[in-house]
Amino acid sequence: MNPAFVIAKKDLRCLVRDKQGLFWALAFPLVMALFFGAMYGGSGDSRGAMKLSVVDDDGTPASQAFVARLTQQASLRVTPSDGDTARARVRKGDATAALRIEKGFGDASLFAGTAPKFALLVDPVRVAEASMLEGLVAQAFFAGMRDVMAEPTKAREEVRRAAQQVAGVADLDAVQRALFATFFVALDRFFVDLPQSGLAAAGNSPFGGPKITREDLGRDEEQPRSAWEVTFPQAILWGLLGLIITFAVSMVRERQEGTLLRLRVAPLSLGHVLAGKGLAYAIATQAVVAILLLLAVALFGLRIGSLPMLLLAMLATATGFTGLMLLFSTLGKTIPAVSGVCSAFMVFAAMLGGGMMPLFFMPAWMQSVSHVSPVKWSILALEGALWRGFDLGEMALPCGVLVGIGLVAGLAGARLMRRAS
């Protein structure tokens, strides 16, 4: 049998006998999934600016001015998009929501009872922010109405346009037409007689508001049905981080007890030793991911959107974290030193990458910094396979980042171990 497989078999047997290591790899992640699932239910408000893709189907000066007012909102980061791009950004988690300005926005008149219409598509993980977004949309709309009403000339033009629209309605009888005609004449007189300062002080329009309807992503597979489908990818990462500590500490212990020295003087190369250690960790990660996912499917109804994409995410995650484990095992000569390094990395990577709290709770600058955490890319890859509906092209980025991290960290760990031996 290949020496690497023998070493891997030995390490896996040691892991099975290590009750404390199994707790951190299996029990603790399950507790984390239950805790976060019960705590925030897969949604929450963001402290950072919400990313909003805006699709302007109207394309009139009025709709363009509305988009400009949205852009001025401090709590929004507005990106003009087309329909397909906006939907894809929401599905991949790159945007909080997408707002579609429907055709007829520029022709709508609240005075004539023709309110502008919008369609709002929200990331299923961030449904709690939908009401806030609706409020910001209404605020931007009424800001435009305030500007119109603050200038009598523009207000009178709006009244005349509304009168023309009502005059073109065929279903009105003579009495209704007379009532509307009287109303618009009086309203026009109102804007002539009322001082401009009084209009500016009024601030808001006394007429109705915009109509906003909710849309979904279109395919049921791209919607998490419960908080557990959001929290279990986080829980899996806690299990893999726990395995890093277990395996890195075991390598330090073997170095202190002379086991690694005996392996080196045997007819084995350093490559055999590293391959065996890495293979054992990779197999352990696949087992932990599989066990946690089976529990989630059996107990909490978690769905697997694409099995091939899930296998790809699992392999990429195993590659990335195996390299990190080999590197961390060389960053100290004692068990406390290596354990401290691994614990600090585990806390930092989980906190920054969405393992402790969802990324949408974080300020915008911290969401940008989170790109350095492998936890973020692993969670994104797992979510993409489970319910976000990623295709192969969309999986390329998170999986590629994880493989790159694993190769760089693994090579650095091998070089450090070669120098120390």
Side-chain angles (χ1 to χ4, degrees):
M1 183 179 292
N2 189 294
F5 288 99
V6 175
I7 295 173
K9 183 178 179 180
K10 183 268 297 180
D11 283 351
L12 290 174
R13 285 183 174 179
C14 292
L15 175 64
V16 172
R17 297 170 183 171
D18 185 358
K19 295 181 180 180
Q20 185 176 2
L22 289 177
F23 170 81
W24 289 110
L26 293 174
F28 181 70
L30 186 58
V31 171
M32 293 294 289
L34 297 175
F35 174 76
F36 282 117
M39 183 178 69
Y40 63 81
S43 62
D45 294 330
S46 172
R47 293 177 54 200
M50 292 178 286
K51 298 178 182 179
L52 179 66
S53 292
V54 176
V55 181
D56 186 1
D57 286 344
D58 191 57
T60 60
S63 63
Q64 293 169 4
F66 171 77
V67 174
R69 290 193 296 273
L70 277 178
T71 305
Q72 295 172 358
Q73 299 276 2
S75 54
L76 292 177
R77 291 173 59 187
V78 176
T79 303
S81 306
D82 58 67
D84 292 338
T85 302
R87 183 175 291 272
R89 292 189 72 223
V90 175
R91 181 169 58 83
K92 292 188 290 185
D94 294 334
T96 305
L99 179 72
R100 179 163 52 86
I101 305 173
E102 298 187 0
K103 291 183 178 180
F105 180 94
D107 296 329
S109 174
L110 295 185
F111 297 113
T114 55
K117 297 180 180 180
F118 306 91
L120 185 64
L121 173 65
V122 182
D123 188 327
V125 182
R126 308 180 67 169
V127 291
E129 293 171 291
S131 297
M132 183 184 302
L133 283 168
E134 291 178 2
L136 293 173
V137 170
Q139 179 181 348
F141 174 79
F142 283 121
M145 288 299 300
R146 178 195 60 201
D147 295 339
V148 170
M149 293 184 67
E151 298 185 24
T153 302
K154 291 184 178 180
R156 295 184 68 192
E157 291 176 357
E158 183 70 16
V159 171
R160 284 194 292 270
R161 188 162 64 89
Q164 292 174 357
Q165 291 180 358
V166 172
V169 178
D171 296 336
L172 296 179
D173 56 29
V175 175
Q176 291 173 327
R177 290 183 184 279
L179 288 173
F180 274 111
T182 303
F183 168 75
F184 286 125
V185 169
L187 190 58
D188 182 76
R189 189 73 241 174
F190 169 82
F191 287 116
V192 171
D193 294 340
L194 194 64
Q196 183 174 345
S197 59
L199 288 171
N204 293 324
S205 169
F207 306 95
K211 298 178 180 179
I212 302 175
T213 58
R214 297 283 184 91
E215 291 185 354
D216 57 39
L217 284 171
R219 290 189 299 169
D220 186 59
E221 292 84 353
E222 296 170 356
Q223 300 278 355
R225 291 185 299 188
S226 68
W228 314 117
E229 294 192 345
V230 178
T231 58
F232 263 91
Q234 297 174 322
I236 288 171
L237 268 296
W238 278 102
L240 304 189
L241 292 172
L243 283 175
I244 284 183
I245 296 179
T246 301
F247 274 82
V249 167
S250 71
M251 292 182 66
V252 177
R253 182 180 295 111
E254 290 183 355
R255 188 160 56 238
Q256 290 180 335
E257 295 175 353
T259 303
L260 286 180
L261 179 61
R262 289 192 293 272
L263 290 175
R264 292 304 309 279
V265 298
L268 300 174
S269 67
L270 179 61
H272 284 126
V273 176
L274 293 177
K277 298 292 184 182
L279 180 60
Y281 179 83
I283 293 174
T285 61
Q286 303 305 294
V288 166
V289 173
I291 291 173
L292 290 175
L293 285 178
L294 287 175
L295 288 174
V297 170
L299 301 179
F300 302 99
L302 182 140
R303 299 159 300 164
I304 298 176
S306 171
L307 184 58
M309 294 299 104
L310 177 60
L311 294 176
L312 178 61
M314 292 170 62
L315 290 173
T317 298
T319 302
F321 283 81
T322 298
L324 291 171
M325 183 274 296
L326 294 175
L327 174 61
F328 292 150
S329 68
T330 64
L331 298 182
K333 297 182 178 180
T334 64
I335 291 178
V338 172
S339 178
V341 170
C342 292
S343 298
F345 167 79
M346 181 173 71
V347 172
F348 176 78
M351 179 176 62
L352 197 59
M356 286 187 174
M357 68 173 68
L359 291 175
F360 53 82
F361 280 148
M362 300 179 181
W365 68 268
M366 190 173 291
Q367 294 181 25
S368 299
V369 176
S370 68
H371 294 332
V372 303
S373 173
V375 170
K376 171 185 177 173
W377 300 108
S378 297
I379 291 177
L380 183 59
L382 290 171
E383 286 185 348
L386 292 175
W387 62 266
R388 285 193 180 273
F390 279 16
D391 57 27
L392 187 60
E394 292 165 336
M395 290 289 287
L397 176 60
C399 291
V401 171
L402 289 168
V403 171
I405 290 174
L407 292 177
V408 172
L411 291 174
R415 185 169 184 177
L416 291 175
M417 185 173 291
R418 190 181 301 275
R419 286 183 177 181
S421 59

